[in-house]
Amino acid sequence: MTWHVLGAGSLGSLWAARLARAGLPVRLLLRDRARLATYRAAGGLTLVEHGQSSLYPIAAQTPADSTPIRLLLLACKAYDAEAAVASLAHRLTADAELILLQNGMGSQDAAAARLPRTRCILASSTEGAFRDGDFRVVFAGHGYTWLGDPLDPTPPTWLEQLGSTGIPHQWTPDILTRLWRKLALNCAINPLTVLYDCRNGGLLEHPAEVATLCAELGELLSLCGQPAAAEQLEEEVERVIKATAANYSSMHQDVAQGRRTEISFLLGHACAVAHRHQHELPHLNALHGRLVSHLNARGLPTQ
């Protein structure tokens, strides 16, 4: 079975390189012919691990290609997921399966709604990787990827293939708990790093603010029927801040480089869900307002 990977960002590139290294057939999906030409000129995808660079000449194509897709890893930004799925719908086979690897929540439902007859598997990853050049990805830290399907607890047949790739993974019936937990962690850390213009460790100077946000996020998780995701949230947020103290959050990196953030699928989604439940979360709402103003001042999208 051929793996098609859309999204040559950090995690998409990391997966594609590992799959290719394991000898599995992989195809990269790039947005247009110009991007495809740039990729071909680079000679492939470069993975840097432990200071060693390896080039993988993975075949690539654009969404306009006509070859059928049976297995698709969608690793693009959350705000691009729905449009990406729509652009590939005509190529998906009747028994196609889709892995959605996006930050936050909301984009998965929107993408799945575009493909009502396609099995959509949700993924949540804590692996560290970043790009240091075009079609170059640096493996930055061991993590884990959880996969699951809220509608069907049966693991897919291709899951066994991942054992040979070096991708640490686990199938879980509680994938929504994992996604909500990661959403809460991101909401407690990322926006503040943008507003204080600091590395994650800089939040150690704002313990009361972090604690207040964690308390409200815990309320939200319980409200959404995810009490397990709320357990010891503040303690884990503190652990993540300390463990990644020298790192800049993904949202901080996006703002610093003038890129669109995933605010709508992180803090925006949390506030929208609370509003639908008619539950007041004043500090989260205030944080969202501050972040929107900050993005507006820099001419960046707030959706």
Side-chain angles (χ1 to χ4, degrees):
M1 190 185 302
T2 298
W3 286 74
H4 286 79
V5 179
L6 189 149
S10 55
L11 285 183
S13 296
L14 183 62
W15 273 63
R18 285 167 163 176
L19 290 165
R21 182 177 61 191
L24 297 172
V26 188
R27 298 287 182 276
L28 276 180
L29 292 165
L30 304 173
R31 63 174 174 264
D32 52 36
R33 297 190 66 81
R35 193 70 179 140
L36 182 60
T38 302
Y39 172 76
R40 287 174 174 164
L45 197 60
T46 297
L47 173 61
V48 182
E49 287 185 293
H50 313 299
Q52 300 293 317
S53 298
S54 300
L55 179 66
Y56 297 94
I58 300 167
Q61 56 189 218
T62 69
D65 195 280
S66 60
T67 55
I69 296 174
R70 167 71 178 81
L71 181 56
L72 173 63
L73 172 66
L74 199 69
C76 59
K77 290 287 191 178
Y79 48 72
D80 286 331
E82 185 178 3
V85 163
S87 73
L88 292 167
H90 67 288
R91 293 180 55 186
L92 298 178
T93 62
D95 59 347
E97 292 180 302
L98 174 63
I99 307 166
L100 294 164
L101 183 58
Q102 275 70 50
N103 261 338
M105 297 185 72
S107 65
Q108 298 92 341
D109 288 341
R114 288 276 186 170
L115 304 169
R117 292 181 294 278
T118 300
R119 186 182 193 190
C120 293
I121 290 165
L122 311 184
S124 179
S125 178
T126 60
E127 292 219 272
F130 63 90
R131 288 182 296 170
D132 71 344
D134 227 8
F135 301 111
R136 284 177 54 90
V137 61
V138 179
F139 177 55
H142 292 283
Y144 218 77
T145 299
W146 287 271
L147 303 110
D149 180 353
L151 303 178
D152 183 355
T154 310
T157 56
W158 49 260
L159 198 65
E160 293 180 7
Q161 293 182 354
L162 293 186
S164 64
T165 64
I167 299 172
H169 68 281
Q170 181 177 326
W171 181 260
T172 174
D174 298 321
I175 188 62
L176 290 178
T177 298
R178 295 286 179 185
L179 289 170
W180 275 110
R181 180 74 161 194
K182 190 176 180 189
L183 176 86
L185 290 169
N186 283 332
C187 286
I189 296 173
N190 291 14
L192 289 178
T193 64
V194 172
L195 294 171
Y196 289 119
D197 189 19
C198 66
R199 299 176 191 267
N200 292 353
L203 299 187
L204 295 172
E205 299 177 15
H206 306 278
E209 191 168 9
V210 171
T212 300
L213 292 176
C214 287
E216 287 197 353
L217 287 162
E219 288 181 43
L220 177 65
L221 294 171
S222 296
L223 190 69
C224 296
Q226 295 293 335
E231 291 177 4
Q232 298 182 312
L233 177 62
E234 184 181 348
E235 290 83 353
E236 185 168 359
V237 167
E238 290 178 4
R239 282 198 299 273
V240 171
I241 288 172
K242 291 174 182 177
T244 62
N247 298 353
Y248 285 107
S249 73
S250 57
M251 185 176 284
H252 185 284
Q253 293 176 53
D254 285 339
V255 173
Q257 295 176 35
R259 296 191 302 243
R260 181 180 178 182
T261 70
E262 294 174 300
I263 177 175
S264 294
F265 304 94
L266 295 168
L267 189 57
H269 183 78
C271 291
V273 170
H275 180 73
R276 285 202 299 272
H277 283 277
Q278 299 181 319
H279 188 80
E280 188 64 29
L281 296 174
H283 294 92
L284 273 179
N285 283 324
L287 180 64
H288 185 250
R290 289 164 60 196
L291 184 57
V292 167
S293 297
H294 187 89
L295 296 177
N296 277 329
R298 283 153 184 74
L300 294 175
T302 57
Q303 293 294 323

